[in-house]
Amino acid sequence: MIFIRTFIIPLIVLLTLTDMVFFRFLMHLSHGMNMKIYFWILILAIEFYSYQAFRTLHQSSRGLAIYIAFHLLLYGTLIYFQISTSSGFSSSNFKKTIILLSLVIVPKIFLAIALVLEDLFRIGLYLTQQLQSNSVEKNISGRRKAVSWLAIGIASIPFLGVLHGIFIGKYNYHIIRKKIKIKNLPSEFEGFKITQISDFHAGSFDNLKKVEYGIDLITETNPDVLVFTGDMVNNYYKEVEPILPILKKLNAKEGMFSVLGNHDYGDYGKLTEAEKKESIQGLQNFQREMGFLPLNNEMKSIEKNGKKLNIIGVENWGNADYFPKKGDLKKATQAVQEDDINILLSHDPSHFDHDLPGHDNVIQFEKMLHLTLSGHTHGMQFGIEIPGLIRWSPVKYRYHNWAGWYEKNGRQLYVNRGFGYLAFPGRVGIWPEITVLELTKA
């Protein structure tokens, strides 16, 4: 038992929390196992370390009893919220569950990492002592109070970060501007400005004044074209109704275009097939009221002096089995001509790689897609971004193209971090984004 507690558990927790290779392996296995089981195993491992830290600092039986009672009440509440949660990501109990988990578990992850590192140091010290002495009476040193206090101090930082993300970060809109260099770009489209927005998740909004502020920022970019790259709702089209008057303020000189994301199909609630169909139609009718032209595997050309810039929109195409694969690029590009400039709107950035030659799932397309615009990942709404220094989020282990600009084989991709939020009602380090892309000749 001592061996398991001091050797095996620290190793498993460290691998689970910090090693990307093992993390990817777990993600691969998760397609064939119950994710809830994995989730609760991870929670138990984290709580194991949290309890160790508390026990080191407060050894009285009364203090330990209070600690245990609090956590029994906490997890009892979480289980109650899970059982009583109605359909969809917008329910009150679902939001409460995510808030509680974020405030309690996220800080403990950092606490666990600190204590795992201490355990590895203790194990190393123990093994060194064994090699240097013939005595078998050596024991692993006890956990030090100073390290537990340090771990709690480290854990307080993400706790405050989560609070900031819930109350401030989710509406901390950032405008990101980038020049997109395109070889042989006609002079007619030099300086052509595309504003991209994505992932509203309208059912999650709880402050319409903040939303209106974000919409005003979008209109102030004064784009030639405004594009929306999917997930306007969480599950049902009527989520848009409260913000419809605000969204009608959107405009662009040469038109506004939209595509559907995985959440726009109504697959995440208890909708019948008829209700799903009604929701898709209702959503796209709302988008037309806003001034958007929905592109369902379709293309719209913008022509200047005989030169064309094509806005190509496909329905959702995700590389996971649980995401819709309705995108039909071949159908959408039937009218593309050889010298056209082609901008693809496709919600899921995994579509970008699967269009490239050499993939089994390649959607054949002989002509150049100069720029693909996607969303979907939200940057997981959690991470660290310091321009020019670091850009990290756990979502990178699921999507290697997860935020910002990418280039491959002469094709470019931009992944918008999303305007809204889903599940966790906040953003920590990955802020809501309005993207302004300016085309220029390479």
Side-chain angles (χ1 to χ4, degrees):
M1 184 63 186
I2 294 175
F3 177 79
I4 293 175
R5 188 177 71 235
T6 57
F7 286 85
I8 302 301
I9 291 180
L11 182 62
I12 290 175
V13 175
L14 181 67
L15 287 172
T16 303
L17 295 176
T18 63
D19 187 85
M20 69 177 64
V21 176
F22 190 68
F23 189 91
R24 292 185 188 204
F25 175 68
L26 287 172
M27 289 299 292
H28 175 73
L29 284 182
S30 69
H31 294 296
M33 68 179 292
N34 190 322
M35 279 299 292
K36 287 186 178 179
I37 294 176
Y38 167 69
F39 170 79
W40 284 111
I41 290 173
L42 182 60
I43 292 297
L44 288 173
I46 292 170
E47 288 297 349
F48 168 82
Y49 272 97
S50 174
Y51 177 75
Q52 278 200 341
F54 186 85
R55 188 179 63 179
T56 301
L57 298 174
H58 302 278
Q59 297 181 355
S60 70
S61 57
R62 177 178 295 180
L64 294 175
I66 293 173
Y67 180 91
I68 293 171
F70 169 79
H71 282 78
L72 288 175
L73 178 62
L74 170 68
Y75 284 108
T77 303
L78 290 176
I79 292 170
Y80 168 75
F81 282 162
Q82 274 196 326
I83 294 173
S84 62
T85 292
S86 59
S87 62
F89 295 91
S90 305
S91 67
S92 175
N93 281 351
F94 184 85
K95 290 180 180 178
K96 291 174 184 176
T97 300
I98 297 300
I99 289 173
L100 278 174
L101 280 174
S102 302
L103 288 174
V104 174
I105 299 303
V106 172
K108 286 182 179 180
I109 290 174
F110 290 83
L111 182 148
I113 291 174
L115 296 186
V116 166
L117 293 175
E118 186 202 12
D119 276 348
L120 293 177
F121 174 79
R122 291 163 63 205
I123 292 168
L125 183 62
Y126 170 78
L127 294 175
T128 301
Q129 291 174 343
Q130 291 297 325
L131 291 173
Q132 293 176 349
S133 172
N134 294 325
S135 172
V136 294
E137 299 298 326
K138 297 287 184 180
N139 293 315
I140 294 179
S141 61
R143 191 174 297 284
R144 289 171 290 181
K145 286 187 176 182
V147 175
S148 294
W149 279 118
L150 176 63
I152 290 174
I154 293 172
S156 67
I157 297 173
F159 178 82
L160 295 174
V162 170
L163 283 179
H164 177 275
I166 292 172
F167 292 103
I168 299 174
K170 63 186 176 184
Y171 296 119
N172 185 22
Y173 300 110
H174 277 50
I175 297 177
I176 297 180
R177 302 176 186 272
K178 181 170 180 59
K179 289 191 175 183
I180 300 295
K181 298 179 180 180
I182 297 178
K183 186 178 180 181
N184 300 324
L185 179 75
S187 59
E188 286 81 359
F189 293 103
E190 180 67 36
F192 193 86
K193 189 190 298 182
I194 301 172
T195 294
Q196 180 195 5
I197 49 178
S198 192
D199 298 88
F200 271 14
H201 292 283
S204 299
F205 291 135
D206 56 15
N207 188 326
L208 297 189
K209 287 186 177 180
K210 293 290 187 181
V211 175
E212 187 170 16
Y213 166 71
I215 297 302
D216 289 340
L217 290 178
I218 296 170
T219 59
E220 288 171 8
T221 64
N222 192 28
D224 293 294
V225 162
L226 176 64
V227 299
F228 180 80
T229 48
D231 278 4
M232 185 158 278
V233 297
N234 292 341
N235 197 56
Y236 193 55
Y237 80 104
K238 288 192 176 180
E239 296 169 15
V240 175
E241 284 184 327
I243 62 171
L244 185 59
I246 300 173
L247 297 179
K248 287 182 178 180
K249 297 168 66 174
L250 296 171
N251 61 82
K253 302 170 189 173
E254 301 288 347
M256 306 197 303
F257 307 94
S258 63
V259 293
L260 294 171
N262 54 298
H263 278 268
D264 296 326
Y265 293 93
D267 290 336
Y268 301 102
K270 298 179 180 179
L271 301 183
T272 65
E273 290 303 316
E275 288 172 330
K276 290 179 183 180
K277 186 176 180 181
E278 174 198 29
S279 184
I280 294 171
Q281 186 63 49
L283 175 60
Q284 295 200 319
N285 285 340
F286 277 159
Q287 290 178 342
R288 291 184 183 95
E289 284 188 46
M290 301 170 204
F292 284 98
L293 174 63
L295 297 175
N296 301 311
N297 301 318
E298 298 170 289
M299 182 182 82
K300 176 67 175 178
S301 296
I302 299 171
E303 187 170 348
K304 294 186 177 184
N305 297 328
K307 304 296 183 181
K308 288 184 179 180
L309 184 147
N310 300 320
I311 306 295
I312 303 164
V314 295
E315 294 192 57
N316 191 83
W317 195 99
N319 66 352
D321 294 337
Y322 43 84
F323 289 142
K325 287 184 171 62
K326 299 178 182 290
D328 189 338
L329 187 54
K330 186 175 182 180
K331 176 182 176 183
T333 57
Q334 287 178 346
V336 170
Q337 298 177 5
E338 189 64 37
D339 296 328
D340 293 352
I341 302 299
N342 301 306
I343 311 294
L344 173 65
L345 312 182
S346 184
H347 176 67
D348 192 321
S350 61
H351 196 187
F352 177 76
D353 282 341
H354 282 267
D355 277 334
L356 293 174
H359 285 273
D360 293 336
N361 296 324
V362 66
I363 302 172
Q364 295 297 332
F365 181 65
E366 296 80 13
K367 301 182 179 66
M368 173 63 77
L369 287 172
H370 298 86
L371 176 64
T372 298
L373 301 179
S374 300
H376 182 60
T377 71
H378 302 202
M380 204 174 168
Q381 298 168 211
F382 177 86
I384 302 171
E385 287 195 272
I386 303 176
L389 292 178
I390 185 172
R391 184 176 65 176
W392 179 89
S393 168
V395 78
K396 70 176 290 184
Y397 305 126
R398 177 65 179 84
Y399 296 93
H400 64 276
N401 299 329
W402 62 273
W405 178 84
Y406 302 88
E407 189 274 337
K408 191 171 185 179
N409 294 352
R411 295 177 53 200
Q412 300 181 70
L413 166 70
Y414 193 92
V415 183
N416 181 284
R417 295 161 181 80
F419 183 88
Y421 52 91
L422 179 69
F424 170 57
R427 283 178 174 265
V428 181
I430 305 293
W431 312 121
E433 176 180 354
I434 300 162
T435 313
V436 180
L437 306 170
E438 182 181 336
L439 305 187
T440 186
K441 190 171 183 177

